Amino acid sequence: MTETFAYQRSIPVAPGADIVVVGGGPAGIAAAIAATRNAAGARVLLIERYGFLGGNLTAGLVGPCMTSYSLDGREQLIRGIFEEFVNRMVAAGGALHPSGIPAGSPYCSFIEYGHDKVTPFEPECAKITALRMVREAGAELLFHTMVVDTLTEAAAIGRRRVTGLVCASKSGLHVQPVGMVVDCSADGDVAALAGNEVATGRAQDGLTQPMTLFFRVQGVDDARVEAYVRAHPDDFRPFSGIVEKARAKGRFPAPRKGVGMYRTLRRGVWRINTTRVLRRNGTDAKDLTAAEIEGLEQVYALLDFFRKELPGFENCSLLDTATQIGVRETRRVVGDYTLTLGDLQNGRRFPDVIALCGYPVDIHAPDGAGGGTGEAPPTANVYEIPYRVLTPRDLDNVMVAGRAVSATHEALGAIRVMPPCFAMGEAAGVATALARSAGTTPRDLDVRRVQAQLQAQGAFIGDPIAG
C-alpha cells in the first residue's frame, strides 16, 4: 500500500478566465486561436508547461505533419487554422506545403501508403509561428505551468462542472478560476482529475503504443541514401533488409523492423523516428523517467549503427534530441460517443461531424517490433470525426481535443496525429466560445452553429447529413 500524507494550505486565486485551454500543442494552439476569435470580450488563457508552444511539433521534434489529405491524396481535408499555420511557415521559408509532397518521397520516409501529402517543417519556425498566431488572436499565455488538480461542483444529471484549476509553477501553487475548459493536455489531465471516466491502451491488456525519442542527424549524404532506397524497393521500410540481418544477430539496438527517417528542409539533416520504448506509462513520472533514459541510450546506439551500416550515414553526427520523449497514447477520455475502427473503415457519416480525415490506422505494436500503417487494417478514403468525441460524458463545461478524445485504441491510432489534432482543437475552441455567448454548455449547444462557424472560417467538414 502506498503511504499517504494529508496536506493543507491556502493558495492564491488568480483572476478568472472565461475559457482556459490547457496544453499548447497542435490542438491547444488551434483551440486558443479559435476560442479567442469567436469569443468577443472574453478572456481566453492558454496554459503550457514549457516555455514555448507546439507540443510534439516542437518539444517532441515530431515531423513531418502527417497527411491532411484524403487517403488517395486527391483532396485536402484539414484546412482552417492548420492551413493558416502551414502557409505562414511556408512564407517564412520554414515549411513546404503538403500539396507538393508526394507519397514515396524522402520527406515521408519513402513510405507510400497513408503518406501522400505530408508537411515538412522546421520546429523553430513552428514555435514562432504558433506564438505569433496565438498572440495576434488575443489569447493570453501562461508558460512554465502545469495543472495538477481541479475544483469541481455538482451539475445537472449527475455530471460535474469544473470551477477552477490548481496550477503549479516556479511561483508556487495557485487556483485559476474558469468558465469553460478545453483540455488539450494530450493525456486528458483535466478530465481525469475532475473524475471523468478514462480508458487506457488496447482492450486485451491495457498496453499503450510505445514511446519514441525523436532525434536529428546531420552530415548525411542525401543522394546516396535515396539511391540506396530506390535500389531496394522490396524493403518494408528504408534499410529494413540491413536491419533484419542485424536483428537476427542481435546487433540492432531498437525493436524496429526498419529505419524511420524523414528528410528535412536542410541539406544533410534527417529526422529519425526509430527509437522504441515498450511497456511504459506516459502518465507515470517513474515510467517517463525510465523511458527518457532508455530512449537516449538507443539514440547513441543507433548513431553508431548508422555510421557503420547504413549507406549515406557514414559521416553523420547528432544534431539534437527532442526536449521530451514522444508519447503516442495514454488516457482516452470517455465521451458522449466513442469513435471506433468500424466508423473509420465504413466511412460512417455523422450529423455532428466537425472534421474529415484520411490518415490510416497507425498503431505501433505495444509489445514488439511490428506495427505502423503498413500493417494496419484499411480505412475509408475519407472518414468523419463527430463533435461528441470532444465532450466528456461526466463533465458539463469541459471539452477535450487532441490525443485524449473519446475513441477506441484502434481509432485513436488514426486520429492522434497532428493535422486531425489541429482540426479537433479548432472545433473545440469554436464550440466553447459559442456556448459561452449562448449561456449554455458545449453538450447542449446546437452543433449546427459550430459547423457553420467552422465553414465560415475556412475549415472543411464536407456536407453534413441531417440529424
Side-chain angles (χ1 to χ4, degrees):
M1 177 181 292
T2 302
E3 184 179 357
T4 62
F5 179 79
Y7 176 74
Q8 182 175 346
R9 62 170 294 181
S10 297
I11 59 176
V13 177
D18 299 293
I19 299 171
V20 175
V21 179
V22 178
I29 292 165
I33 293 169
T36 311
R37 288 177 177 175
N38 289 279
R43 182 182 180 223
V44 178
L45 174 66
L46 172 55
I47 297 175
E48 165 57 38
R49 62 174 168 166
Y50 290 120
F52 53 88
L53 299 174
N56 274 332
L57 286 160
T58 54
L61 277 185
V62 178
C65 291
M66 289 294 105
T67 183
S68 52
Y69 279 65
S70 54
L71 186 58
D72 62 12
R74 294 183 178 179
E75 183 176 25
Q76 185 171 356
L77 304 176
I78 299 172
R79 307 176 194 174
I81 290 173
F82 175 73
E83 178 75 352
E84 289 181 50
F85 177 71
V86 170
N87 285 337
R88 287 183 64 151
M89 289 197 296
V90 170
L96 299 176
H97 195 274
S99 59
I101 310 298
S105 77
Y107 293 112
C108 60
S109 194
F110 305 99
I111 300 171
E112 294 283 345
Y113 182 68
H115 286 63
D116 200 2
K117 310 296 191 302
V118 302
T119 305
F121 68 93
E122 288 294 310
E124 291 302 322
C125 187
K127 280 184 186 178
I128 190 63
T129 302
L131 177 66
R132 287 172 175 169
M133 288 181 68
V134 169
R135 296 188 71 202
E136 288 166 11
E140 298 179 34
L141 290 162
L142 183 60
F143 286 146
H144 300 291
T145 302
M146 293 182 65
V147 174
V148 296
D149 204 353
T150 61
L151 307 178
T152 67
E153 63 183 18
I157 322 175
R159 292 190 290 268
R160 299 198 67 79
R161 178 179 180 275
V162 174
T163 59
L165 305 173
V166 180
C167 301
S169 70
K170 293 292 289 185
S171 303
L173 299 175
H174 76 267
V175 171
Q176 175 60 63
V178 301
M180 294 189 183
V181 181
V182 187
D183 184 352
C184 301
S185 64
D187 301 314
D189 288 342
V190 174
L193 288 167
N196 200 93
E197 183 180 352
V198 297
T200 303
R202 59 189 185 185
Q204 63 265 41
D205 55 18
L207 288 180
T208 59
Q209 293 196 56
M211 304 183 199
T212 290
L213 184 64
F214 261 78
F215 62 102
R216 293 188 295 182
V217 294
Q218 57 191 354
V220 177
D221 186 332
D222 301 335
R224 190 158 181 233
V225 168
E226 183 160 3
Y228 180 89
V229 173
R230 301 297 184 200
H232 295 79
D234 293 333
D235 278 1
F236 171 72
R237 287 287 183 264
F239 299 114
S240 62
I242 294 173
V243 168
E244 284 305 302
K245 290 178 182 178
R247 275 168 51 85
K249 298 177 180 179
R251 294 192 298 104
F252 191 68
R256 294 294 294 266
K257 292 184 176 180
V259 177
M261 40 181 278
Y262 298 85
R263 186 173 180 175
T264 72
L265 278 64
R266 300 161 61 181
R267 180 179 300 175
V269 176
W270 292 68
R271 296 182 193 250
I272 308 299
N273 174 9
T274 306
T275 69
R276 176 174 281 190
V277 180
L278 302 169
R279 297 178 179 271
R280 296 293 183 183
N281 179 355
T283 60
D284 182 279
K286 289 184 178 180
D287 270 8
L288 282 169
T289 299
E292 296 282 5
I293 293 168
E294 184 178 347
L296 194 58
E297 291 289 0
Q298 286 188 23
V299 167
Y300 281 88
L302 285 165
L303 276 170
D304 184 62
F305 181 87
F306 288 2
R307 295 188 191 106
K308 292 176 179 177
E309 303 283 349
L310 301 189
F313 283 81
E314 294 87 350
N315 298 309
C316 75
S317 61
L318 181 65
L319 176 60
D320 54 6
T321 59
T323 300
Q324 69 159 69
I325 196 160
V327 179
R328 292 183 173 89
E329 178 188 17
T330 57
R331 304 185 188 102
R332 304 188 308 277
V333 173
V334 175
D336 290 323
Y337 182 80
T338 299
L339 190 68
T340 69
L341 175 61
D343 295 334
L344 275 54
Q345 292 180 315
N346 300 327
R348 180 178 176 180
R349 303 293 308 281
F350 293 98
D352 60 337
V353 56
I354 48 83
L356 303 181
C357 298
Y359 188 62
V361 175
D362 185 0
I363 296 179
H364 296 247
D367 53 2
T373 56
E375 301 177 38
T379 62
N381 185 51
V382 177
Y383 54 85
E384 298 184 350
I385 298 178
Y387 180 76
R388 287 164 291 159
V389 305
L390 311 180
T391 52
R393 186 193 62 194
D394 305 322
L395 301 171
D396 259 358
N397 65 329
V398 177
M399 299 195 76
V400 176
R403 194 180 70 208
V405 297
S406 185
T408 64
H409 170 74
E410 294 77 16
L412 184 70
I415 65 171
R416 64 179 173 81
V417 294
M418 293 184 284
C421 288
F422 267 95
M424 289 184 281
E426 182 171 0
V430 167
T432 51
L434 295 181
R436 174 189 171 273
S437 65
T440 189
T441 67
R443 172 179 290 101
D444 295 326
L445 182 67
D446 185 347
V447 73
R448 292 173 296 182
R449 294 188 58 195
V450 179
Q451 293 169 328
Q453 187 55 36
L454 286 171
Q455 292 172 316
Q457 59 194 41
F460 181 60
I461 59 172
D463 185 17
I465 61 172

